[in-house]
Amino acid sequence: MERTKLSLKLLELRQEHGLTQKQLCADLNISRSNYSYFECGKRVPDINTLLLIARYYSVSLDELVTGSPPAAVPPADTSCDQGLSLLRHLRAKHIPLEDVMELSKTDFDLLAAYKKLSADNKAELSHLINYKLKRQSV
């Protein structure tokens, strides 16, 4: 099958960033076998995957698909950028993505509230959590 501009651009971007398919797919939480088909031109990613890849590389969707940058690039979605930064941080800390994906909305709300606490209150809460964990295991 003939390679498309998209498949060539995917390969080019990955190589420019010094990534293996395995690393990229771990960052994006997509199947490596599917991604391999994208780079070979055997499959075309769905629009959500295209957007995820474009944001990951900080390129426009137009540039990703056609290989040419548009006249004006729209501003990036910062929430998606923050999510990708978080994925990179977790990977660097060797924290399995599965552990994070199991968090509920309540868990995330609790984390958001924790971030608002003062350093003293965080230390106190940490002490209380450790105490409760020890009592629970008895």
Side-chain angles (χ1 to χ4, degrees):
M1 177 170 265
E2 186 177 324
R3 296 186 84 153
T4 62
K5 286 183 182 182
L6 171 62
S7 65
L8 292 170
K9 187 66 176 180
L10 290 172
L11 176 63
E12 174 188 324
L13 286 167
R14 184 176 57 77
Q15 289 176 342
E16 280 178 7
H17 287 80
L19 296 168
T20 64
Q21 285 184 354
K22 184 177 180 180
Q23 291 169 322
L24 176 65
C25 294
D27 283 351
L28 299 178
N29 195 30
I30 60 176
S31 157
R32 197 200 66 74
S33 59
N34 272 343
Y35 185 82
S36 178
Y37 284 129
F38 302 156
E39 278 192 9
C40 292
K42 293 181 180 179
R43 290 187 188 155
V44 176
D46 63 32
I47 189 66
N48 290 328
T49 304
L50 285 171
L51 287 168
L52 184 67
I53 294 169
R55 288 182 179 137
Y56 182 83
Y57 289 124
S58 299
V59 298
S60 69
L61 190 56
D62 192 35
E63 183 175 356
L64 183 64
V65 174
T66 67
S68 304
V73 178
D77 178 357
T78 57
S79 63
C80 185
D81 294 340
Q82 290 171 346
L84 289 173
S85 295
L86 174 63
L87 289 174
R88 289 184 191 112
H89 175 75
L90 293 172
R91 191 169 129 239
K93 296 286 184 182
H94 305 288
I95 298 172
L97 185 60
E98 300 80 47
D99 290 353
V100 177
M101 297 307 287
E102 291 176 7
L103 295 176
S104 68
K105 181 180 179 335
T106 303
D107 295 331
F108 280 108
D109 290 344
L110 182 62
L111 288 170
Y114 175 82
K115 288 183 73 174
K116 294 177 185 176
L117 293 175
S118 68
D120 289 342
N121 285 334
K122 286 179 182 178
E124 185 179 338
L125 183 57
S126 179
H127 178 73
L128 178 62
I129 289 171
N130 288 328
Y131 172 77
K132 292 287 189 180
L133 286 171
K134 286 177 187 173
R135 296 240 4 226
Q136 178 177 300
S137 63
V138 175

